[in-house]
Every structure is written in C-alpha cells, then in structure tokens.
Amino acid sequence: MTATTTRALLMTTMLSISGVMHFVTPKPFVAVVPRSLPGKEMLVAVSGVAELVCAGLVAAPKTRAIGGLASAALLVAVYPANISMAMRSRRQSRGFQLIAWMRLPMQFPLIAWALQIARESRPVSS
C-alpha cells in the first residue's frame, strides 16, 4: 500500500466516523453551531452528508483528487463551529476546554493533509 493510499484510507475513516456521528448523536454537533446561524439541525445533517460524500470521494482512487479538495473546503467551512465551541467552553470541564481550544490549531494540519491527498492523487499528464 502506498503512502498516499494510507493517507487516503485514514482520511476516509476519519470523515466516515464523523459523518455517521452527525446522525447517531447530533446533539453535540448542534450545540457547536454558531448561535447566529438558523436551522442548526439541518446544518448538522448537511455537514454530516458532506463528510460522508467527501469520504467516498477520497476512498475511490479516480475521485481522490477532487475528494481531497472537497475535504479541505469542508474543513475550512466547519472552522467557525470549532471557534464557537471553544468560545462557549467556559462552563465545561477543563478537559473539554482543552480539547475545544486544541481543535482550532489542529484544523490546519487536517486541511493540509486533505490538500496533500489531492495533490498526490492528481493524474499525471504526459
């Protein structure tokens, strides 16, 4: 298995688990949607579907490049929810607060990882 395939498999797994969790336990996801946005439950469902679509695109070698780009875009799009979660974590346990704030800088390596998958998966032109 190549390094690119391994990276894609890990990204697919991460996105799949997160996407499924949006439907299995939506409440934590709804709680972090910024207060200013309407239709929180619908936004959680849409982002869950988007994660599952991205996972499918990254999983298939023929669509992996576009899947990497779509995954990077999705990770950027959900960043405001991570900011919201960190800002609202004051009343939570110290452990929760630490995780909430650590997610903010960790999003950037995830975006870079998705872009790397896209870059490595582009068809080679002759």
Side-chain angles (χ1 to χ4, degrees), residues 74-120:
L74 178 62
L75 290 164
V76 169
V78 300
Y79 197 70
N82 292 343
I83 293 170
S84 176
M85 180 172 69
M87 297 298 289
R88 292 196 220 164
S89 69
R90 287 187 209 112
R91 294 184 179 149
Q92 303 294 328
S93 69
R94 291 281 183 211
F96 183 91
Q97 289 177 39
L98 179 64
I99 290 168
W101 285 99
M102 292 289 295
R103 284 183 64 153
L104 297 178
M106 290 306 298
Q107 198 82 354
F108 297 105
L110 290 174
I111 293 165
W113 180 24
L115 291 173
Q116 179 182 18
I117 289 169
R119 212 175 21 258
E120 292 173 347

Side-chain angles (χ1 to χ4, degrees), residues 51-84:
E51 286 186 349
L52 293 170
V53 168
C54 286
L57 291 170
V58 170
K62 288 184 178 185
T63 57
R64 189 165 290 152
I66 192 71
L69 292 174
S71 297
L74 178 62
L75 290 164
V76 169
V78 300
Y79 197 70
N82 292 343
I83 293 170
S84 176

